[in-house]
Amino acid sequence: MGSFKGHALPGSFFLIAGLWWAGKYSLWYATRRNKSLGSTSTRLASRSTQRRLEVIEGSVTLFFSVVGMLAEQFVADGPRLHLYDYSEHHWDRLHNWQHSTMYLFFGLAGAMSLIVHTTTDAAPLALDRLMLAIAFFIEGFLFLYHLHGRAMLDVHVHQLLLFCVFGEAMVSFLEVFHRGNVLLELLRASLTILQGSWFWQIGFVLYSPSGAEWDQKDHNNMMFITMCYCWHLVFSLLMVAALYCTISCVVRSRLKRTPPMEMGLLKPREREQESEDEIL
Amino acid sequence: MGSFKGHALPGSFFLIAGLWWAGKYSLWYATRRNKSLGSTSTRLASRSTQRRLEVIEGSVTLFFSVVGMLAEQFVADGPRLHLYDYSEHHWDRLHNWQHSTMYLFFGLAGAMSLIVHTTTDAAPLALDRLMLAIAFFIEGFLFLYHLHGRAMLDVHVHQLLLFCVFGEAMVSFLEVFHRGNVLLELLRASLTILQGSWFWQIGFVLYSPSGAEWDQKDHNNMMFITMCYCWHLVFSLLMVAALYCTISCVVRSRLKRTPPMEMGLLKPREREQESEDEIL
Amino acid sequence: MGSFKGHALPGSFFLIAGLWWAGKYSLWYATRRNKSLGSTSTRLASRSTQRRLEVIEGSVTLFFSVVGMLAEQFVADGPRLHLYDYSEHHWDRLHNWQHSTMYLFFGLAGAMSLIVHTTTDAAPLALDRLMLAIAFFIEGFLFLYHLHGRAMLDVHVHQLLLFCVFGEAMVSFLEVFHRGNVLLELLRASLTILQGSWFWQIGFVLYSPSGAEWDQKDHNNMMFITMCYCWHLVFSLLMVAALYCTISCVVRSRLKRTPPMEMGLLKPREREQESEDEIL
Amino acid sequence: MGSFKGHALPGSFFLIAGLWWAGKYSLWYATRRNKSLGSTSTRLASRSTQRRLEVIEGSVTLFFSVVGMLAEQFVADGPRLHLYDYSEHHWDRLHNWQHSTMYLFFGLAGAMSLIVHTTTDAAPLALDRLMLAIAFFIEGFLFLYHLHGRAMLDVHVHQLLLFCVFGEAMVSFLEVFHRGNVLLELLRASLTILQGSWFWQIGFVLYSPSGAEWDQKDHNNMMFITMCYCWHLVFSLLMVAALYCTISCVVRSRLKRTPPMEMGLLKPREREQESEDEIL
């Protein structure tokens, strides 16, 4: 990438993905907990609605992954599917190829999610999380061997990125076994927002649009950046919390208009359902 | 920090937190196991009492975190919310800022615990453990990038600290899935006491109030310090064990005064309950 | 090994093993899900058939491991069971001995699988996965200390190999606790195919049969190889997916000829069975 | 330690402990599986017998740990409880102190096991495994910082030791959650035997009683030693397997003399019990 845009673009994608996930899982959790309250809830949380959302998500992921792969190949200085420059005997624009590979895995994850949720029982349900875990793992894996010979600060900001990327891979893998655990889902959303906003931060630090350059060898800069990463995490946690609260309130206020039947009786039991496997 | 007081203060906080946790979880475990013995137990272990304790704990955590953040900012040589010194073009007292960030996360954990336990069903119960895990992880994460360019012994004593900090993060994360497992709770308490007493030890080693200085490059000192860390662990395990025994005995002796109804019959069943999910 | 053949041979074995596993577990999963559909399925998924397959697999593994050990010892330049050269006071052909050791552990895993599946209740069922996990771990462990003093690219391609070898060890170990989870089984199959095709790739890179040599110190080669590894993973995932789809379709089309009894009724329940413990 | 005896002694202890565990858990597993077969089995597997064995094991562990601590302190060149040599201003025989610390933790584990199994419900049952995990972890932790400034081969043989020590810590910690899983118990026994026999190997390599010295810097020696470690693992696995088979056969042949009642009927159900929580 090596440009401000090249970091802002994937950053925006991850930001949107994280917000989308935070909203989606908050909505499902809220409707699941208030299932007893009326027909609106049942309608919102109905299987067919959920499946439709999942299918849309899968399609959008797949679409943008393909666009990303094509863009990396055919932009002005892209390799245009040439991998090896035979005249000069060296590999051709490996960075673009690496980014294409990352998009490829996210595309696979999207396609797999599409297959799992459009067919009735072709594949095990947890496959979408497993492919997502693999996609995040490969993203981190490629970044890990991406940093040779760069300046200290450059290496450091990308290493910090690895924490949230491998964190997302681990959380997605845990979801294979603990599907429907809202905490893991919201944690994944937070880490995705963190990744997105950190991409923006990398853009500002390494290719500042204002032209100001950071001293890449100053240890104080590294210490500040590390702390800054934590602030991004606070920001992403607060974003997810705000979304969660808004959606919970909206769902509850909508449902209150319908008669609140056995609300009191059901609460204690609902408490324990919070890590139930969500059957789509 | 860089002073004896700067290490003794957080050390005392962690010591108190560890002892508090050891006491709280021992009490709950003892009352849960003796539930059948009489009304006193039921009262002690009642939901509302437990909730009140949790709310107090959350408030105290939040209060001291805010105090800590303010103190780090506005003490004699604090940055007073200035982050960048424009006149000399360098970051301003990053250490204070880093400590503020650590307090911030513990404050978030306290606030989240408060929200979870004051509202009935606004948020999933396990959220308090997840935020605690994140707070400990961030503490360790900031310490990890905190040690550049220090002397060998200085680095070593802080690295040893990381073992218990990351250990606490891991145990708290496990508690998200195994809530109410008394072993994990007491292990967390032990590690917190270890952290607290180790902060005191660091103060004595690096900024000895008696003025005696340690040779920072002597390998024998490092070997002694490593062993000393194990002794602190023994000490913290014994503290937790002593607290646990005292509380168990007190609870049992109090309950014995009420008629010991079906005690014999219930024992085998109670045995198996020890890792039950505690429903607050 | 140090030759093209020496890498192509184990590569072919792992490729075949991976494809075999992908096929076997897909077949079992498909028959398990369609159990209700008719007698053909019941016959295919019957315990005795499954046991026979497992016994054959164990025997073949054991046979080829023994052949591999003998081959490593008695090929033209093998050590012929001499471990120490007393005349020149050095160890004799340690590489061959190390490969023999690897084969030995796979042989043990095969023998253990044979024992577990031929006797009725001599040993706990999960023992075959535990031994497989140990065999893969030892393979990775020996490779880890195998790389001293080699060129950069040589070390790198073998390090990449470690990712899938230790991945297989971890997945096998998880299967001890989550036996019959089809996702773990297919993931293991994918990683085995990846290992097999990567052995071939190593052969082509280090001992190219066309005679072309790679620059072992060019960093671009390393970046390409890393990316290439991801493509091998894509390839292996697609192979497993293709096998899975083919087998699912064949099983379903065969079963459709028998009357589709209570298909509609059973679907929702079957959904949840996907991570059930498979009782052989 | 620094002597042949100093490695052979703990090695023998671990060998015996490993064999004892392999025997104990094999016996319990065999009796549990054949519970239906007659009264002999019931007697062997009765709670009181099991508890008695556990109490004996705890006492022996405690006794030898105390003896070990005293021996380390009061042998010919021990520190006799002096920690700091004030005349020469250096720490006094830190190695002996470190070994005392290791023994201390094993002593704690033994004492805890004693408390858990002598009292009826004073402490949660899984505490004995947790303390064992901590004892092994501390052993590995102290070895980790034990190796500064030694020769390459010396460091390497001790690093290999860490694999099995941390492995045992991990397995014991897993047993906190999967108590009674015979595979974990036998794996722990195997790793303990491995540790014991590897201590002997270290004695022979570093302080050969025959006087032959190994070249500490020869890379071939390191490769041989790594492979040798795998052979020790094979040896320990075979030992455990042999013990397991002998005990299973003896138990079954003894029980066969009593009428084999509903054997056929109960088999399928027993199959699934193999990872049941063993209620002492």
Side-chain angles (χ1 to χ4, degrees):
Chain A
M1 279 172 189
S3 71
F4 180 73
K5 266 192 192 168
H7 283 91
L9 206 71
S12 308
F13 279 127
F14 280 116
L15 267 177
I16 293 170
L19 291 172
W20 162 256
W21 280 340
K24 188 178 75 170
Y25 294 121
S26 300
L27 181 66
W28 289 358
Y29 182 66
T31 47
R32 241 187 306 160
R33 297 201 76 163
N34 296 296
K35 229 171 216 166
S36 55
L37 288 189
S39 53
T40 327
S41 171
T42 325
R43 196 147 34 81
L44 269 169
S46 74
R47 288 201 185 177
S48 59
T49 321
Q50 288 194 359
R51 178 168 293 180
R52 215 170 297 142
L53 274 187
E54 291 281 21
V55 168
I56 292 170
E57 186 188 316
S59 320
V60 170
T61 311
L62 182 56
F63 175 74
F64 277 109
S65 300
V66 171
V67 167
M69 285 167 70
L70 294 177
E72 285 288 342
Q73 292 292 333
F74 296 105
V75 284
D77 59 342
R80 283 149 212 271
L81 301 179
H82 291 281
L83 182 57
Y84 196 74
D85 187 336
Y86 287 98
S87 58
E88 299 187 30
H89 291 286
H90 66 75
W91 300 101
D92 208 20
R93 296 183 188 78
L94 278 176
H95 276 258
N96 291 65
W97 276 100
Q98 289 207 332
H99 300 143
S100 297
T101 307
M102 292 180 195
Y103 285 121
L104 173 62
F105 274 90
F106 282 103
L108 277 180
M112 199 54 82
S113 173
L114 213 58
I115 291 170
V116 166
H117 294 291
T118 47
T119 60
T120 28
D121 55 353
L125 197 58
L127 200 57
D128 56 345
R129 303 298 157 90
L130 185 63
M131 277 308 301
L132 201 63
I134 291 175
F136 279 123
F137 180 81
I138 290 293
E139 190 197 344
F141 176 76
L142 282 173
F143 269 121
L144 199 68
Y145 291 104
H146 202 77
L147 304 171
H148 183 87
R150 299 197 185 182
M152 191 179 75
L153 189 66
D154 194 344
V155 168
H156 187 62
V157 291
H158 282 95
Q159 268 178 351
L160 292 179
L161 194 64
L162 293 181
F163 277 87
C164 70
V165 174
F166 283 123
E168 280 169 283
M170 199 197 69
V171 170
S172 303
F173 191 71
L174 276 178
E175 279 188 80
V176 171
F177 301 99
H178 297 272
R179 194 183 181 83
N181 186 327
V182 75
L183 285 179
L184 288 179
E185 292 166 343
L186 293 183
L187 184 58
R188 176 154 56 93
S190 308
L191 290 173
T192 311
I193 294 176
L194 171 60
Q195 195 189 159
S197 69
W198 193 247
F199 263 117
W200 275 89
Q201 181 75 45
I202 292 179
F204 276 108
V205 168
L206 299 184
Y207 317 97
S208 173
S210 71
E213 278 206 27
W214 290 52
D215 181 354
Q216 299 251 343
K217 283 169 194 165
D218 184 7
H219 186 67
N220 275 322
N221 278 340
M222 280 189 59
M223 275 182 66
F224 170 71
I225 280 292
T226 310
M227 189 170 55
C228 189
Y229 188 74
C230 299
W231 295 350
H232 279 260
L233 178 56
V234 173
F235 163 77
S236 77
L237 289 172
L238 291 181
M239 290 284 280
V240 170
L243 253 171
Y244 176 84
C245 291
T246 318
I247 287 173
S248 297
C249 291
V250 170
V251 167
R252 215 170 301 172
S253 68
R254 283 213 167 194
L255 297 180
K256 280 228 173 94
R257 289 178 213 157
T258 64
M261 310 191 298
E262 326 92 322
M263 200 176 172
L265 281 164
L266 281 165
K267 240 186 242 151
R269 236 188 48 110
E270 279 172 274
R271 256 275 120 92
E272 301 163 64
Q273 288 179 339
E274 67 206 350
S275 68
E276 80 185 313
D277 268 28
E278 173 205 342
I279 302 149
L280 195 81
Chain B
M1 278 168 190
S3 70
F4 181 73
K5 266 192 194 168
H7 283 92
L9 207 72
S12 308
F13 278 127
F14 280 116
L15 266 178
I16 294 169
L19 290 173
W20 162 256
W21 280 341
K24 188 179 77 170
Y25 294 123
S26 299
L27 181 65
W28 289 359
Y29 182 67
T31 47
R32 239 185 309 158
R33 296 201 77 162
N34 297 297
K35 229 172 217 166
S36 55
L37 290 189
S39 54
T40 327
S41 171
T42 326
R43 196 147 36 81
L44 270 169
S46 75
R47 288 200 187 178
S48 58
T49 322
Q50 287 193 0
R51 179 168 294 181
R52 215 171 297 141
L53 274 187
E54 292 280 21
V55 168
I56 292 171
E57 185 188 317
S59 320
V60 170
T61 311
L62 182 56
F63 174 73
F64 278 109
S65 301
V66 171
V67 167
M69 286 168 69
L70 293 178
E72 285 288 342
Q73 292 292 332
F74 295 105
V75 285
D77 60 341
R80 283 151 212 271
L81 301 179
H82 291 281
L83 182 57
Y84 196 75
D85 188 336
Y86 287 98
S87 58
E88 300 187 32
H89 292 286
H90 66 75
W91 300 101
D92 208 21
R93 297 182 188 79
L94 278 175
H95 277 259
N96 292 65
W97 276 100
Q98 289 208 332
H99 301 142
S100 297
T101 306
M102 293 180 193
Y103 286 121
L104 174 62
F105 274 90
F106 282 103
L108 277 180
M112 198 53 83
S113 173
L114 213 58
I115 291 171
V116 165
H117 295 291
T118 47
T119 60
T120 28
D121 55 353
L125 197 59
L127 200 56
D128 56 345
R129 304 298 157 90
L130 185 62
M131 277 308 302
L132 201 64
I134 291 176
F136 279 123
F137 180 82
I138 290 294
E139 191 196 343
F141 176 76
L142 281 173
F143 269 121
L144 199 67
Y145 291 103
H146 202 76
L147 305 171
H148 183 88
R150 299 196 183 183
M152 190 178 78
L153 189 67
D154 195 343
V155 168
H156 186 63
V157 292
H158 282 94
Q159 269 177 353
L160 291 179
L161 194 65
L162 293 181
F163 278 87
C164 71
V165 175
F166 283 124
E168 279 169 284
M170 198 197 70
V171 170
S172 305
F173 190 72
L174 276 177
E175 278 187 81
V176 171
F177 301 100
H178 297 273
R179 194 184 182 83
N181 185 327
V182 75
L183 285 179
L184 288 180
E185 291 167 342
L186 293 183
L187 184 58
R188 176 154 56 94
S190 308
L191 290 173
T192 310
I193 294 177
L194 170 60
Q195 194 189 159
S197 69
W198 193 247
F199 262 117
W200 275 88
Q201 180 76 44
I202 293 179
F204 276 109
V205 169
L206 299 184
Y207 317 97
S208 172
S210 71
E213 277 205 29
W214 290 51
D215 181 355
Q216 299 252 342
K217 281 169 195 164
D218 183 6
H219 187 67
N220 275 321
N221 279 340
M222 280 189 60
M223 275 183 65
F224 170 71
I225 280 292
T226 310
M227 189 169 57
C228 189
Y229 188 73
C230 299
W231 296 350
H232 279 259
L233 178 56
V234 173
F235 162 78
S236 76
L237 289 172
L238 291 181
M239 291 283 281
V240 171
L243 254 172
Y244 176 84
C245 290
T246 318
I247 288 174
S248 296
C249 291
V250 170
V251 167
R252 215 170 301 173
S253 68
R254 284 212 168 193
L255 297 180
K256 280 230 174 92
R257 290 177 213 157
T258 64
M261 309 190 298
E262 326 92 324
M263 200 175 172
L265 281 164
L266 282 164
K267 240 186 240 150
R269 236 187 48 112
E270 280 172 272
R271 255 277 123 89
E272 299 164 65
Q273 288 180 339
E274 67 206 351
S275 69
E276 81 185 314
D277 267 29
E278 172 203 344
I279 303 149
L280 196 81
Chain C
M1 280 170 191
S3 70
F4 181 72
K5 266 192 193 169
H7 283 91
L9 207 71
S12 307
F13 278 127
F14 280 116
L15 267 177
I16 293 170
L19 291 172
W20 163 256
W21 280 340
K24 187 179 76 170
Y25 294 122
S26 300
L27 180 66
W28 289 359
Y29 182 67
T31 46
R32 241 186 307 159
R33 298 201 74 165
N34 296 297
K35 230 172 215 165
S36 56
L37 289 189
S39 54
T40 326
S41 172
T42 324
R43 194 144 38 79
L44 269 170
S46 75
R47 289 200 184 178
S48 59
T49 322
Q50 289 193 0
R51 178 166 294 180
R52 214 169 300 142
L53 273 187
E54 292 281 21
V55 168
I56 292 170
E57 185 187 318
S59 320
V60 171
T61 311
L62 183 57
F63 174 74
F64 277 110
S65 301
V66 171
V67 167
M69 285 167 71
L70 293 178
E72 285 289 341
Q73 292 292 332
F74 296 106
V75 284
D77 59 343
R80 282 149 212 270
L81 301 179
H82 291 281
L83 182 57
Y84 195 74
D85 188 336
Y86 287 99
S87 58
E88 299 186 31
H89 292 286
H90 66 74
W91 300 101
D92 208 21
R93 296 184 187 80
L94 278 176
H95 277 258
N96 292 64
W97 276 100
Q98 290 207 331
H99 301 141
S100 297
T101 307
M102 293 181 193
Y103 285 122
L104 172 62
F105 274 90
F106 282 104
L108 278 180
M112 198 54 81
S113 174
L114 213 57
I115 291 170
V116 166
H117 295 292
T118 47
T119 60
T120 26
D121 54 352
L125 197 57
L127 201 57
D128 56 345
R129 303 298 156 90
L130 185 63
M131 277 309 301
L132 201 63
I134 291 176
F136 279 123
F137 180 81
I138 290 294
E139 190 197 344
F141 177 76
L142 283 173
F143 268 120
L144 199 66
Y145 290 104
H146 203 76
L147 305 171
H148 183 88
R150 300 198 185 180
M152 191 178 77
L153 190 66
D154 194 344
V155 168
H156 186 61
V157 290
H158 282 94
Q159 269 178 351
L160 292 178
L161 193 64
L162 292 181
F163 277 87
C164 70
V165 174
F166 283 123
E168 280 170 281
M170 199 197 69
V171 170
S172 304
F173 191 70
L174 277 177
E175 278 187 81
V176 171
F177 302 99
H178 297 273
R179 193 183 182 82
N181 185 328
V182 74
L183 285 179
L184 288 180
E185 292 167 342
L186 293 183
L187 184 58
R188 176 154 57 91
S190 307
L191 289 173
T192 310
I193 294 176
L194 171 60
Q195 196 189 157
S197 69
W198 193 247
F199 262 117
W200 276 88
Q201 180 76 45
I202 292 178
F204 275 109
V205 169
L206 299 183
Y207 317 97
S208 172
S210 71
E213 278 206 29
W214 290 51
D215 181 355
Q216 300 250 344
K217 280 169 195 164
D218 184 6
H219 186 67
N220 275 321
N221 279 339
M222 279 188 61
M223 276 181 66
F224 169 72
I225 279 293
T226 311
M227 189 170 55
C228 188
Y229 188 72
C230 299
W231 294 350
H232 279 261
L233 178 56
V234 173
F235 163 77
S236 76
L237 289 173
L238 292 181
M239 291 283 281
V240 171
L243 254 172
Y244 176 83
C245 291
T246 317
I247 288 173
S248 297
C249 291
V250 170
V251 167
R252 213 170 302 171
S253 68
R254 283 213 168 191
L255 297 179
K256 279 230 175 90
R257 289 177 212 159
T258 64
M261 311 190 297
E262 326 93 324
M263 200 176 172
L265 281 163
L266 281 165
K267 239 186 242 152
R269 235 187 49 109
E270 279 172 275
R271 256 270 125 88
E272 300 163 63
Q273 289 180 337
E274 67 207 351
S275 68
E276 78 185 315
D277 268 28
E278 172 204 343
I279 302 148
L280 196 82
Chain D
M1 279 171 192
S3 69
F4 181 72
K5 266 192 192 168
H7 283 92
L9 206 72
S12 308
F13 278 127
F14 280 116
L15 267 177
I16 293 169
L19 290 172
W20 162 255
W21 279 341
K24 187 179 76 170
Y25 294 123
S26 299
L27 181 65
W28 290 358
Y29 182 67
T31 46
R32 239 185 309 157
R33 298 203 75 164
N34 296 299
K35 230 172 216 164
S36 55
L37 289 190
S39 54
T40 327
S41 172
T42 325
R43 194 145 37 78
L44 270 169
S46 75
R47 288 200 186 178
S48 59
T49 322
Q50 288 193 0
R51 179 166 293 179
R52 215 169 298 142
L53 274 187
E54 292 280 21
V55 168
I56 292 170
E57 185 187 318
S59 320
V60 170
T61 311
L62 183 56
F63 175 73
F64 277 110
S65 300
V66 171
V67 167
M69 285 168 69
L70 293 178
E72 285 288 342
Q73 291 293 333
F74 296 106
V75 284
D77 60 343
R80 283 151 211 270
L81 301 178
H82 291 280
L83 182 57
Y84 195 76
D85 187 336
Y86 286 98
S87 58
E88 299 186 32
H89 292 285
H90 66 75
W91 301 102
D92 208 20
R93 296 184 188 80
L94 278 176
H95 277 258
N96 291 65
W97 276 100
Q98 289 208 333
H99 301 141
S100 297
T101 308
M102 293 181 193
Y103 285 122
L104 173 62
F105 274 90
F106 281 104
L108 278 180
M112 198 54 82
S113 173
L114 213 57
I115 292 170
V116 166
H117 294 292
T118 47
T119 61
T120 28
D121 54 353
L125 197 59
L127 201 55
D128 56 345
R129 304 298 157 90
L130 185 62
M131 277 308 301
L132 201 64
I134 291 176
F136 279 123
F137 180 82
I138 290 294
E139 190 197 343
F141 176 76
L142 282 173
F143 269 122
L144 199 67
Y145 290 104
H146 203 76
L147 305 172
H148 182 88
R150 299 198 185 180
M152 190 178 78
L153 189 66
D154 195 344
V155 168
H156 187 62
V157 291
H158 282 95
Q159 269 178 352
L160 292 179
L161 194 64
L162 293 181
F163 277 87
C164 70
V165 175
F166 282 124
E168 280 170 282
M170 198 197 71
V171 170
S172 303
F173 191 71
L174 276 177
E175 278 187 82
V176 171
F177 301 99
H178 296 274
R179 194 184 182 82
N181 186 327
V182 74
L183 285 179
L184 288 179
E185 292 167 342
L186 293 183
L187 184 57
R188 176 154 57 92
S190 307
L191 289 172
T192 309
I193 294 177
L194 170 61
Q195 195 189 157
S197 69
W198 193 247
F199 262 118
W200 276 89
Q201 180 77 45
I202 292 179
F204 275 110
V205 169
L206 298 183
Y207 317 97
S208 173
S210 70
E213 278 205 29
W214 290 50
D215 181 355
Q216 299 250 342
K217 281 168 194 164
D218 184 6
H219 187 67
N220 275 322
N221 279 339
M222 280 188 59
M223 276 182 65
F224 170 71
I225 280 292
T226 311
M227 189 169 56
C228 188
Y229 188 73
C230 299
W231 295 350
H232 278 261
L233 178 56
V234 173
F235 162 77
S236 76
L237 289 172
L238 290 182
M239 290 284 280
V240 170
L243 255 172
Y244 175 84
C245 290
T246 317
I247 288 173
S248 296
C249 291
V250 170
V251 167
R252 214 170 301 173
S253 68
R254 283 211 168 193
L255 297 179
K256 279 231 174 91
R257 290 176 211 158
T258 63
M261 307 189 301
E262 327 92 325
M263 200 175 173
L265 281 164
L266 281 164
K267 241 186 241 153
R269 235 186 49 108
E270 280 172 273
R271 257 270 128 85
E272 298 164 66
Q273 289 180 338
E274 67 206 351
S275 69
E276 79 185 314
D277 268 29
E278 173 204 344
I279 302 149
L280 195 80

